[in-house]
Amino acid sequence: MPKTVVIGASPNPRRYSNMAVKRLKQHQKEVEAVGLRNGEIDGVSIQKGHPEMDDVHTVTMYVGARNQPSLYDYILSLKPERVIFNPGAENPELKRKLLDQGVEVLEACTLVMLSTGDY
């Protein structure tokens, strides 16, 4: 099953990345969480670093643009079909790199997309 990778995942239940992991699970999506701290969100372990993953459909970004450069090669290595830049994570430089690789890029909110059926 194609999976969604939440980058910037936080164990803090007040963070949007945390809500996204929970909502993706509620919508029966396979989800992986990558963040800075160990933890768990609704049974999904938060992985640190740049874990290898296969069959990635969507990367949803919850990391601000200034903290993204160290993630560029990692995100491209996941070979996603789509990257969603959530509000506050928009990044024209990474967007250009992704478009050059044929990746669909959206500046949108994962939570809104799930609630409206546009995911």
Side-chain angles (χ1 to χ4, degrees):
M1 171 189 280
K3 66 184 69 132
T4 297
V5 179
V6 177
I7 296 185
S10 169
N12 181 341
R14 293 187 300 271
R15 305 290 290 188
Y16 288 114
S17 61
N18 184 290
M19 295 176 209
V21 171
K22 290 176 182 170
R23 197 79 53 81
L24 286 159
K25 281 191 66 179
Q26 288 170 0
H27 282 82
Q28 314 301 310
K29 305 292 183 190
E30 184 176 341
V31 61
E32 299 277 356
V34 177
L36 294 175
R37 291 181 202 86
N38 287 328
E40 190 176 285
I41 305 168
D42 219 18
V44 177
S45 293
I46 298 173
Q47 303 172 68
K48 291 172 31 177
H50 299 156
E52 288 186 34
M53 296 181 203
D54 293 321
D55 205 20
V56 174
H57 181 274
T58 301
V59 169
T60 182
M61 294 290 295
Y62 287 93
V63 175
R66 69 182 169 92
N67 294 317
Q68 290 176 17
S70 65
L71 296 168
Y72 290 1
D73 289 341
Y74 175 61
I75 292 165
L76 290 167
S77 78
L78 295 174
K79 296 180 175 49
E81 292 181 33
R82 171 174 73 173
V83 173
I84 301 169
F85 288 98
N86 287 276
E90 301 89 346
N91 182 339
E93 183 180 23
L94 180 53
K95 179 179 180 176
R96 188 170 45 258
K97 290 177 181 290
L98 292 162
L99 290 171
D100 287 348
Q101 297 293 318
V103 178
E104 179 186 6
V105 176
L106 299 174
E107 292 179 357
C109 176
T110 297
L111 295 170
V112 171
M113 290 174 69
L114 287 165
S115 68
T116 60
D118 291 332
Y119 195 86

